[in-house]
Amino acid sequence: MFMPQTAGGSRSEHRLLSFILFVAIALTLTPVVRLFVEGVTIDDRLNLSLFSDVLTQGQTQLALKHSLITAGFGTLVSLLIGSAFAFLVALTDLRAKTTLVFCLMIPMMIPPQITALSWTQIMGPSSVLLKTLGVAPAMGAPQPLYSQGGIILLLGIQHTAIIFLTLRAGLRAIPQDVVEAARISGASGLRVWWQIILPLCLPSLAAGIAITFVTALGNFGIPAMLGIPAGYSTLPTLIYQRLSGLSSTVLAEVAVLAMVIGCVAICGILLQRFFQSRQRVHLVGSTSRPLAMPLGRARLPVEICLWLIVCAILVLPMLGLIATSLVPAYGVPLSFETVTLASWHEALFRQPSTARAFVNSLGLAGGAALVLVLICLPLAWLMERTPSRLGRLFDALVDLPYALPGVVLAIAMILLLINLPFTDATLYGTIWIIFLAYLARFLVVMFRPIQASIRQLDPAMNEAAQSVGATLFQRLRLIILPLSAPAAAAGAILVFLTAFNELTVSALLWSSGTETLGVMIFNLDDSGETVMASALAMTIVLVVMGLMAGLQISARHLPKGSLPWQT
Amino acid sequence: MKSFLTAAALACVSTASFADTLTLYTSQPNADAQKTVDAFMAANPGTEVAWVRDGTTKLMARLRAEIEAGNPQPDVLLIADTVTLEGMAQEGLLAAYQSPEATAYDPALYSAAGFYHSTKLITTGIVYNTGVETAPTSWADLNDAALKGQIAMPSPLYSGAALIHLATLTGDKDLGWDYYSDLAANEARAKGGNGGTFKAVAAGEKPYGMVVDFLAIRNQAKGSPVEFVFPKEGVSYVTEPVAILSSAKNTDAAQRFVDFVLSQKGQDLVLEMGYIPARNDMGVPAGFPARADIKLMDFDPVVALQNAEANKAKFAEIFGAN
């Protein structure tokens, strides 16, 4: 056993921690290790020559630089929009918060490729919208989004909801008493923000920034759609370009490039953790009333401003997407003569695999969310209570499968699971390989918000329960679960929505019968059926909005604060 | 969750219950792949086809991983280009099979040893947006200074078909590498694949482009504002060859599949899907000029494979590496 005995720890906790840690490491880190072995061996011998070759290539260094720039500034954009929304929605007396947040969540549910597609539809010479307004640029004019700035902007918008959700889960835990106490002691408005609220939500903010940076780093869809036409390559698009090579060392090269992404991600996470560890506060729990500071006369202007942002990042591209799905062929202008539902009909009713894909994606996303709650909740709590070297190592590396581009994780899963050790069985070609890949990829999406919320819990509550003889499972069920339920629910919803639209992991792992919705969209777009892809993507957005509405209706049966868009 | 389990169970059952299963990896568009498989199964009752469709790049990445892990899945490949298959044949990954149907094909369209057989012709020509004033008729027209910054083309760094296009045009005695240098000087954009190029032209963002025929001709029929031109110097072509893996588990069914797609019946299907069949004496789909009027430029997959890396490097140098 690696675990040193610490005060407050018990034997059953150690056993459970070792078990869950083993499961989590097997899920997340073994595929990555298997892939890395590919990069540093030639004919089963350790060989670093390819490693240094790839690292010293100018293209690798340029792509690394581009990845750092786009992921870094993209995170900044997400941070600006996401935290502004989170602070204002969580702490002030804005009206129609539910609707506002509902709308803010939607861009995250559109796969990145489709986001990029819809944005290019509302800018540039072919834009139906601009043509109608009479301001479309001349034919042959450049598309402004095909640039570094375009990639940063869309990465920022795509991931805004991550910052928003994690930060808001943290802000929910701040009880009004704390702020009132500060006010009574004479602290002014600005000082309350700076000295009370900001330090208290720093762990969640740091967690949000970390996930956003890592997500932006591994994003393939946006740099592929906007960067490739501009000749601007990031590490994921460089990997894609390498994969189209004919050489037999291509997997090893890809493994090396994946390691570069992994290292950058780990550095980012460690930096986050450094800042985060300098701030630590314990709260009693989220049982008291949340904050509602009056905005006074600033309320209407602030509301108008927020709704304009929502319009810009949601309504405009959705209009572009709908317009594309309604034309008979790409490039045809939309008018009363040309409008047709043919592609909707074809995508939804003529392609037999669509219904299968809906069932598969719902099952995979729901299953992944459920299993990950069961793993992450006890894991985060036990790791916090019983620090161990193995736990810290896991904590530092758990982001890796999420940071790798989807196609790379998929290759790692194939290498690992095509021949199960000691048997003739294989998971390859079944839906379970996709399911395991989803667990590996999205574990951190669930883990970080729960971890941030558990760090804020006062350990005294658990110790009190322990002292009156509550068993490990009683404590987990009666104390930890209720207190971290909002974060867990937010994490589960985040996992569900991300997995439901997941596009690049399943793209290499599916086989006939196990299509996911992402595979359908990718295949349609890839084989030139952009119009049908748009129709299907729009359907998915509508389905997700329907699911969210369904959750909203059943909200009173859920723990308080678990619906991210509810006030 | 329940339906998910049912679906998973069904997936297991469907792969286990058929003794005679053929596994096909193909890069044909979805609907076309479905048609091919349905027709083959109708002609071969008792043989079940499990098939996976993906872009050639993804498919090859998947296959490489399977080979690396020692368990390649497919029996048959039906993918974009002969250069990829020539590379695999030289690595010993393909099985030689002399199909009796090959007699009805031009010897340039299949490997002499029988490693792969072409099934259709997908040519690369010029596409332009109908909103422009001048229509190009030859490859040389794209180097007109008036079109500076107006041209899009697929990049050989991303697309196999584009690499063959590059090998064909630079191998032509009149065009050669000078032609590509002039294109670069004319600020042609050579990034991404055929899909992106077509979109750029259809959207009017880059009104001229080099693109595969069926993308332009099919969408034109549906109303996209584009026109496709077979340039007077000729067109380059890829041939969607079919090949049997040396690791095939069901060689018998694989050979029947190869014979089927090369047969008159299989080629009628190709025609029906809207492609030019590779078999001699077949017609062409609506929207194409007569087969005799389509001039194919010379191309040798063995030479193209030898030069592939050098061609990519030289291209990257001229157009600026990305």
Side-chain angles (χ1 to χ4, degrees):
Chain A
M1 297 293 280
F2 298 92
M3 300 7 143
Q5 287 286 334
T6 51
S10 73
R11 223 189 195 159
S12 50
E13 281 179 17
H14 284 159
R15 270 205 301 272
L16 185 64
L17 177 62
S18 320
F19 173 70
I20 299 182
L21 206 50
F22 173 76
V23 171
I25 287 176
L27 270 179
T28 53
L29 297 182
T30 42
V32 180
V33 170
R34 173 65 185 86
L35 181 75
F36 287 2
V37 167
E38 199 68 33
V40 293
T41 54
I42 295 175
D43 297 329
D44 295 330
R45 285 229 195 84
L46 185 69
N47 189 324
L48 292 176
S49 61
L50 184 70
F51 198 81
S52 58
D53 280 357
V54 174
L55 285 187
T56 49
Q57 277 168 11
Q59 284 197 333
T60 311
Q61 290 162 10
L62 192 64
L64 173 63
K65 189 178 127 198
H66 289 167
S67 275
L68 285 173
I69 293 174
T70 51
F73 284 96
T75 306
L76 196 63
V77 172
S78 304
L79 181 66
L80 290 176
I81 310 177
S83 60
F85 269 83
F87 282 125
L88 288 168
V89 168
L91 306 180
T92 70
D93 60 345
L94 282 183
R95 284 165 294 188
K97 286 180 188 174
T98 310
T99 327
L100 191 67
V101 176
F102 198 89
C103 295
L104 188 70
M105 300 269 304
I106 295 173
M108 197 186 67
M109 288 162 218
I110 307 174
Q113 267 93 334
I114 299 292
T115 308
L117 176 73
S118 57
W119 273 80
T120 54
Q121 286 287 295
I122 54 166
M123 294 171 113
S126 74
S127 167
V128 179
L129 200 73
L130 299 184
K131 273 183 187 163
T132 319
L133 296 174
V135 292
M139 187 167 279
Q143 164 64 260
L145 287 172
Y146 289 165
S147 62
Q148 178 173 294
I151 298 174
I152 290 174
L153 178 71
L154 291 204
L155 281 177
I157 287 173
Q158 182 82 26
H159 303 135
T160 290
I162 300 181
I163 295 264
F164 175 83
L165 284 184
T166 44
L167 178 56
R168 204 167 99 131
L171 287 171
R172 282 192 179 288
I174 301 177
Q176 197 162 11
D177 334 357
V178 181
V179 177
E180 274 164 8
R183 282 254 167 82
I184 290 164
S185 333
S188 68
L190 215 59
R191 208 160 148 207
V192 172
W193 280 82
W194 189 244
Q195 293 193 334
I196 312 281
I197 294 172
L198 206 61
L200 284 178
C201 65
L202 212 66
S204 340
L205 192 59
I209 293 174
I211 306 184
T212 308
F213 178 74
V214 165
T215 312
L217 198 64
N219 188 301
F220 170 73
I222 289 170
M225 296 279 286
L226 304 183
I228 291 175
Y232 185 92
S233 63
T234 63
L235 285 169
T237 56
L238 184 66
I239 285 176
Y240 191 73
Q241 182 193 316
R242 284 282 183 274
L243 282 176
S244 61
L246 305 167
S247 70
S248 53
T249 58
V250 63
L251 285 187
E253 282 180 44
V254 165
V256 174
L257 290 171
M259 271 186 263
V260 178
I261 296 188
C263 289
V264 177
I266 291 182
C267 291
I269 300 304
L270 291 180
L271 204 65
Q272 292 291 342
R273 282 156 53 83
F274 171 73
F275 287 119
Q276 193 184 332
S277 65
R278 305 179 67 181
Q279 297 278 349
R280 186 177 268 200
V281 252
H282 292 307
L283 298 176
V284 176
S286 57
T287 43
S288 61
R289 266 184 314 142
L291 293 161
M293 298 180 186
L295 283 173
R297 262 189 303 175
R299 188 161 79 165
L300 190 65
V302 167
E303 282 174 343
I304 291 174
C305 187
L306 293 186
W307 278 105
L308 281 178
I309 294 178
V310 165
C311 270
I313 66 178
L314 173 71
V315 180
L316 284 183
M318 292 269 271
L319 284 178
L321 200 57
I322 293 174
T324 307
S325 75
L326 291 178
V327 295
Y330 195 79
V332 178
L334 186 64
S335 68
F336 285 113
E337 288 85 59
T338 57
V339 66
T340 168
L341 283 172
S343 62
W344 287 72
H345 183 248
E346 176 75 27
L348 294 184
F349 302 111
R350 299 277 304 281
Q351 301 275 330
S353 38
T354 316
R356 266 203 313 262
F358 264 104
V359 172
N360 288 339
S361 280
L362 277 173
L364 287 166
L370 191 72
V371 170
L372 288 177
V373 169
L374 294 178
I375 295 176
C376 290
L377 207 59
L379 183 64
W381 180 62
L382 291 169
M383 274 172 60
E384 182 68 12
R385 273 184 55 76
T386 323
S388 69
R389 210 172 297 155
L390 189 64
R392 272 199 298 276
L393 187 69
F394 173 76
D395 195 22
L397 297 178
V398 64
D399 295 275
L400 278 179
Y402 191 61
L404 299 181
V407 67
V408 174
L409 180 68
I411 290 173
M413 294 306 279
I414 295 176
L415 289 174
L416 186 72
L417 292 177
I418 196 163
N419 292 318
L420 292 180
F422 316 118
T423 62
D424 289 336
T426 176
L427 289 177
Y428 189 62
T430 71
I431 203 158
W432 299 108
I433 192 170
I434 305 180
F435 188 63
L436 288 175
Y438 279 7
L439 293 183
R441 186 165 182 79
F442 300 127
L443 190 128
V444 72
V445 177
M446 181 75 79
F447 185 72
R448 292 286 181 226
I450 294 184
Q451 192 185 34
S453 120
I454 280 182
R455 286 210 166 127
Q456 289 177 333
L457 295 183
D458 191 340
M461 300 183 77
N462 176 62
E463 279 152 22
Q466 202 173 8
S467 68
V468 295
T471 65
L472 171 62
F473 287 98
Q474 279 174 332
R475 279 176 286 139
L476 266 175
R477 189 163 56 82
L478 296 172
I479 298 177
I480 305 309
L481 183 66
L483 287 180
S484 47
I493 289 169
L494 208 56
V495 168
F496 181 87
L497 295 179
T498 327
F500 191 65
N501 279 315
E502 193 287 324
L503 203 133
T504 53
V505 176
S506 49
L508 271 200
L509 297 177
W510 73 283
S511 52
S512 46
T514 68
E515 301 91 343
T516 64
L517 287 171
V519 168
M520 295 295 298
I521 292 185
F522 198 95
N523 267 340
L524 287 174
D525 193 42
D526 186 55
S527 53
E529 303 281 3
T530 305
V531 180
M532 258 210 274
S534 306
L536 189 58
M538 202 57 225
T539 314
I540 293 172
V541 174
L542 293 177
V543 167
V544 171
M545 284 166 72
L547 290 173
M548 284 164 62
L551 280 173
Q552 171 75 44
I553 289 166
S554 54
R556 59 201 165 88
H557 304 297
L558 299 172
K560 180 169 165 273
S562 55
L563 288 189
W565 56 87
Q566 209 193 9
T567 42
Chain B
M1 195 62 196
K2 196 175 169 193
S3 52
F4 166 59
L5 289 174
T6 318
L10 280 177
C12 294
V13 171
S14 66
T15 48
S17 59
F18 295 97
D20 194 17
T21 301
L22 179 72
T23 307
L24 164 72
Y25 277 17
T26 180
S27 60
Q28 290 179 295
N30 250 333
D32 295 348
Q34 185 72 55
K35 274 186 202 160
T36 309
V37 167
D38 287 348
F40 172 74
M41 288 201 294
N44 291 269
T47 305
E48 188 73 9
V49 180
W51 58 281
V52 168
R53 184 229 98 84
D54 217 329
T56 302
T57 302
K58 286 263 184 62
L59 219 45
M60 291 311 291
R62 178 196 272 245
L63 186 57
R64 284 280 173 210
E66 292 173 2
I67 291 169
E68 189 61 35
N71 193 357
Q73 303 288 302
D75 301 300
V76 197
L77 300 178
L78 181 55
I79 59 171
D81 64 87
T82 42
V83 175
T84 305
L85 288 182
E86 180 62 35
M88 292 182 70
Q90 291 185 11
E91 279 183 68
L93 298 171
L94 299 182
Y97 171 59
Q98 305 280 1
S99 172
E101 301 282 350
T103 50
Y105 287 74
D106 186 325
L109 293 177
Y110 58 91
S111 118
F115 286 118
Y116 49 84
H117 294 81
S118 301
T119 65
K120 60 183 70 155
L121 301 179
I122 299 175
T123 71
T124 294
I126 296 173
V127 65
Y128 64 89
N129 191 303
T130 47
V132 301
E133 278 161 20
T134 49
T137 59
S138 72
W139 293 119
D141 286 352
L142 293 183
N143 278 333
D144 187 338
L147 305 191
K148 190 165 190 168
Q150 307 276 299
I151 304 156
M153 58 199 254
S155 163
L157 301 179
Y158 283 96
S159 154
L163 185 59
I164 287 173
H165 184 64
L166 172 88
T168 308
L169 260 56
T170 54
D172 185 87
K173 63 178 172 21
D174 295 323
L175 296 170
W177 275 102
D178 286 347
Y179 179 67
Y180 268 75
S181 304
D182 292 345
L183 275 178
N186 217 14
E187 291 173 14
R189 183 174 83 198
K191 321 280 180 195
N194 276 288
T197 303
F198 172 74
K199 278 188 211 163
V201 175
E205 189 223 335
K206 298 274 172 190
Y208 301 88
M210 299 177 174
V211 87
V212 289
D213 52 23
F214 71 93
L215 262 188
I217 291 174
R218 277 186 193 179
N219 280 295
Q220 184 188 358
K222 283 199 252 173
S224 269
V226 294
E227 190 78 48
F228 188 76
V229 179
F230 289 84
K232 60 175 187 252
E233 297 97 330
V235 285
S236 75
Y237 60 99
V238 290
T239 60
E240 199 145 277
V242 62
I244 304 173
L245 265 84
S246 54
S247 57
K249 288 156 194 148
N250 194 346
T251 311
D252 173 59
Q255 294 182 350
R256 277 185 281 127
F257 185 83
V258 172
D259 292 344
F260 175 77
V261 289
L262 297 180
S263 70
Q264 184 73 41
K265 213 169 167 182
Q267 291 288 295
D268 284 340
L269 204 60
V270 168
L271 186 60
E272 196 186 298
M273 290 171 195
Y275 302 99
I276 309 170
R279 198 179 169 97
N280 295 338
D281 305 324
M282 300 276 301
V284 288
F288 284 78
R291 172 76 184 270
D293 295 339
I294 301 174
K295 187 179 163 200
L296 299 179
M297 299 171 83
D298 287 336
F299 171 72
D300 182 345
V302 180
V303 177
L305 179 68
Q306 270 168 9
N307 297 337
E309 286 311 311
N311 280 348
K312 279 194 204 177
K314 192 159 179 184
F315 172 86
E317 185 192 317
I318 293 176
F319 277 82
N322 50 11

